Amino acid sequence: MVVGNSVLGDLSSQLRVAFHRVQDWAYPDQVDRDAFRAYMKTPHDVGGEPDPPALFEDKEEEQWELNTFVTCEVLGWRGIWTSEERRRIGNVDLGRTNYLGLPYYGRWLWAIARCLVDKRHITLGELIERVGEVRDRYAGGIRGPLDAAPRTTGNTDAVARNRHHVDAIGKGDPQCFADTAGTPGFAVGDAVSVRELPTIFYTRTQEYLRGASGTVAKVSYESLAPEDEAFDREDQESEWFYIVRFRMADLWTAYTGPPNDTLQAEISERWLRPAV
Amino acid sequence: MTETDLDGSGHETHQHAGTAPMVEEVTDFEVLEIALRELAIEKGLFTAEDHRRYTEHVEQLEPAAGSRFVARAWLDPEFRRLALDDAVAASREMGIDWLHPTGFGTPSDFTAFEVLEDTPTLHHVIVCTLCSCYPRPILGMSPEWYRTPNYRRRIVRWPRQVLAEFGLYLPEDVEVRVEDSNSKHRFMVLPVRPDGTEGWSEEQLAEIVTRDCLIGVALPKPGVTSNAVRPVHPAVRPVTSD
């Protein structure tokens, strides 16, 4: 039975800035295991967090939102990053306050800026200057079309790019990793448990599944693990992924639905062990 | 956006219902977006033409492709088998190539697609608790509510309650199976063909397979050809197509 997120008000999902604390920066001996785990929790991992019902809404898309989405995808197309790097930067690295505070595509935009600076395609000084310039361009309001006006066209051959955007052509992803991970360790019908490894910086194995047991429903594909892909580690070995089926009643204490309700998620081999 | 008194100079203005006319002020997000795109093009990371081409690709995506896919699977047993066996190949038969437009697919959606077959005793609903993974090549852009932390937090733990909020009440003898789309597979629900559609054409059937049915928060019903009406948050400067 998973303890994390299984009771209302658990620290891991409910960590907030502690206004009642007089002192910032707790002393090391004041951070116990639970608090450490809560601080290290990746903010994108929200499954099972208590939240009251809300009105489900639609939203009209801003032009800059579409432009941002397309820029992210084109950066993937041209080998500047993989989408997993984008997810790590824009959904986790920016921290919980910004994750829950900024608009959805505001975080995609943040991720572009961070990637371009971190990977040394631009300097932070260049970005700051350009943002200032664009702001000044429209200082008196928008009087014409609102669009990018690049001054030059860069030499695309001089740019450092990943291997993936070439290797995957004609195959797709994850098909580009086919036949690289050997024999799958598990087969359909196998009983497996999700390992309770610590969370550090990034993962796609949800907290609410840690320690839970389920059954392999599908042997999916071979791929780099998200922990590697998110950090541009093309040098790492690929592994098998599995769709695992869990009983809801095994995931949540006091699950309120019928006992045969289920949930499936896709997990990499490193996170699985034969069920005990 | 700042409210500004007009000086009659003929500056481009935008009339908002119930408020004074305002000079359009650029937002911080727009400024950052423009700055980054300019720098990326100037540094040769990609070209303006790349950006334009990809935009065109995105703008032609729509959930109607998924609706037609389901309608055909209801009518054609061989296509249904292919859809459940190899949904990427089945998509290709419907004119959707998951390798487009880059030659290796859309970077965020990958090229592993799986169709989840509902039965009279099994109902699937899709979520991505970690971000907003969604089968864009066949359904287009995801709806806002699908991306919200609220939906992602609750559907994996209180699925029947959340589905009820969408107006979908499932009896206890129907197993609810939540698919957390947390890795490279993308998913679409193949609902049960409803009674009262005997003799219908593929076009007629496709009309009742709304996007909400393909995510699993609604069931197809004769006479219902659109998603439930929800409040729409308007954009300040919405997408304009040329």
Side-chain angles (χ1 to χ4, degrees):
Chain A
M1 190 64 66
V2 182
V3 175
N5 282 340
S6 65
V7 288
L8 291 179
D10 81 286
L11 182 62
S12 194
S13 73
Q14 298 301 300
L15 185 71
R16 298 281 191 281
V17 177
F19 291 110
H20 59 280
R21 286 174 64 118
V22 178
Q23 182 200 353
D24 291 327
W25 297 349
Y27 289 115
D29 55 290
Q30 293 169 333
V31 177
D32 63 15
R33 281 253 149 80
D34 285 344
F36 185 78
R37 182 159 164 253
Y39 281 113
M40 294 302 281
K41 180 179 162 106
T42 50
H44 67 161
D45 187 4
V46 303
E49 291 180 358
D51 204 5
L55 195 58
F56 294 119
E57 295 182 333
D58 287 321
K59 180 183 162 303
E60 196 181 15
E61 191 163 58
E62 304 278 354
Q63 183 66 55
W64 73 265
E65 294 180 312
L66 175 61
N67 292 345
T68 297
F69 171 72
V70 170
T71 293
C72 287
E73 294 299 79
V74 171
L75 288 172
W77 177 15
R78 295 308 185 198
I80 304 302
W81 65 8
T82 61
S83 63
E84 211 52 37
E85 293 174 79
R86 171 182 61 70
R87 293 187 184 94
R88 187 256 303 170
I89 300 169
N91 302 341
V92 177
D93 285 2
L94 78 180
R96 189 175 301 195
T97 303
N98 287 3
Y99 179 70
L100 295 175
L102 286 172
Y104 177 78
Y105 281 116
R107 293 183 290 99
W108 290 58
L109 194 54
W110 196 94
I112 299 170
R114 190 78 212 202
C115 167
L116 265 47
V117 174
D118 278 350
K119 293 200 168 187
R120 305 165 67 100
H121 294 296
I122 60 175
T123 66
L124 182 55
E126 283 177 305
L127 178 59
I128 290 169
E129 287 293 341
R130 184 61 59 94
V131 168
E133 266 179 59
V134 176
R135 200 179 51 194
D136 291 348
R137 217 182 281 169
Y138 297 102
I142 301 168
R143 296 199 166 80
L146 186 67
D147 205 359
R151 299 167 190 161
T152 55
T153 304
N155 176 9
T156 54
D157 295 333
V159 175
R161 301 177 195 275
N162 62 26
R163 259 187 0 236
H164 174 267
H165 84 293
V166 176
D167 287 354
I169 287 178
K171 298 176 192 151
D173 180 354
Q175 289 83 347
C176 58
F177 298 104
D179 303 321
T180 58
T183 310
F186 301 103
V188 171
D190 283 359
V192 291
S193 295
V194 180
R195 296 174 70 194
E196 300 211 53
L197 293 170
T199 301
I200 301 175
F201 299 154
Y202 193 71
T203 184
R204 293 192 76 80
T205 302
Q206 303 89 321
E207 188 181 64
Y208 76 86
L209 295 178
R210 307 286 173 81
S213 294
T215 309
V216 173
K218 184 185 175 82
V219 180
S220 287
Y221 48 72
E222 298 146 278
S223 168
L224 283 181
E227 291 85 353
D228 290 325
E229 218 162 41
F231 289 91
D232 194 15
R233 293 300 300 266
E234 295 186 302
D235 56 313
Q236 296 300 297
E237 300 284 319
S238 63
E239 61 194 84
W240 281 97
F241 282 65
Y242 305 86
I243 294 181
V244 181
R245 185 175 306 159
F246 302 90
R247 290 172 64 244
M248 282 287 192
D250 291 338
L251 295 178
W252 311 109
T253 41
Y255 177 68
T256 55
N260 58 334
D261 284 354
T262 53
L263 177 141
Q264 297 190 151
E266 195 164 52
I267 317 227
S268 63
E269 189 160 302
R270 67 175 65 181
W271 280 94
L272 298 175
R273 288 290 178 266
V276 278
Chain B
M1 198 174 289
T2 316
E3 251 181 275
T4 311
D5 285 330
L6 284 179
D7 57 5
S9 64
H11 291 168
E12 192 173 317
T13 58
H14 190 78
Q15 186 78 47
H16 285 255
T19 63
M22 293 181 282
V23 171
E24 301 251 356
E25 192 175 288
V26 72
T27 68
D28 293 311
F29 298 113
E30 287 167 328
V31 168
L32 185 54
E33 188 279 313
I34 287 171
L36 287 166
R37 188 149 45 99
E38 287 180 357
L39 288 169
I41 291 167
E42 289 170 19
K43 300 288 180 184
L45 307 187
F46 58 79
T47 66
E49 173 64 9
D50 288 344
H51 201 275
R52 194 190 59 72
R53 268 178 62 195
Y54 204 97
T55 302
E56 276 179 17
H57 172 76
V58 173
E59 287 183 333
Q60 51 87 38
L61 300 174
E62 50 169 7
S67 310
R68 290 198 319 271
F69 185 110
V70 165
R72 181 158 171 206
W74 282 345
L75 290 172
D76 177 349
E78 212 165 299
F79 179 78
R80 184 189 190 92
R81 251 191 311 277
L82 181 65
L84 297 173
D85 221 44
D86 184 349
V88 169
S91 303
R92 209 156 39 232
E93 282 205 10
M94 299 298 295
I96 305 288
D97 186 344
W98 280 74
L99 291 182
H100 278 178
T102 67
F104 62 92
T106 50
S108 289
D109 307 310
F110 305 104
T111 55
F113 180 42
E114 179 95 355
V115 169
L116 304 170
E117 184 184 33
D118 282 357
T119 71
T121 56
L122 175 64
H123 176 81
H124 291 90
V125 59
I126 300 165
V127 64
C128 166
T129 55
L130 297 177
C131 40
S132 53
C133 296
Y134 190 76
R136 289 187 191 86
I138 197 140
L139 294 189
M141 303 297 260
S142 58
E144 177 71 9
W145 57 261
Y146 178 87
R147 306 167 178 173
T148 58
N150 187 280
Y151 177 75
R152 292 158 47 209
R153 285 176 179 132
R154 296 169 61 230
I155 190 79
V156 292
R157 185 168 178 183
W158 298 281
R160 287 173 186 268
Q161 288 87 333
V162 174
L163 291 175
E165 290 163 33
F166 281 94
L168 179 55
Y169 300 86
L170 293 168
E172 292 219 344
D173 59 354
V174 175
E175 171 187 342
V176 172
R177 182 172 295 164
V178 178
E179 188 73 48
D180 192 345
S181 173
N182 67 320
S183 292
K184 290 189 175 178
H185 259 115
R186 296 293 173 266
F187 302 92
M188 183 176 82
V189 176
L190 172 55
V192 177
R193 180 175 171 178
D195 293 337
T197 59
E198 295 75 17
W200 284 26
S201 69
E202 193 171 307
E203 290 69 34
Q204 282 175 298
L205 289 170
E207 275 188 17
I208 61 166
V209 185
T210 63
R211 180 203 60 207
D212 286 1
C213 298
L214 299 166
I215 298 173
V217 297
L219 292 177
K221 263 195 209 107
V224 179
T225 55
S226 58
N227 298 313
V229 176
R230 302 191 177 93
V232 180
H233 185 85
V236 176
R237 268 179 287 286
V239 171
T240 53
S241 33
D242 298 323

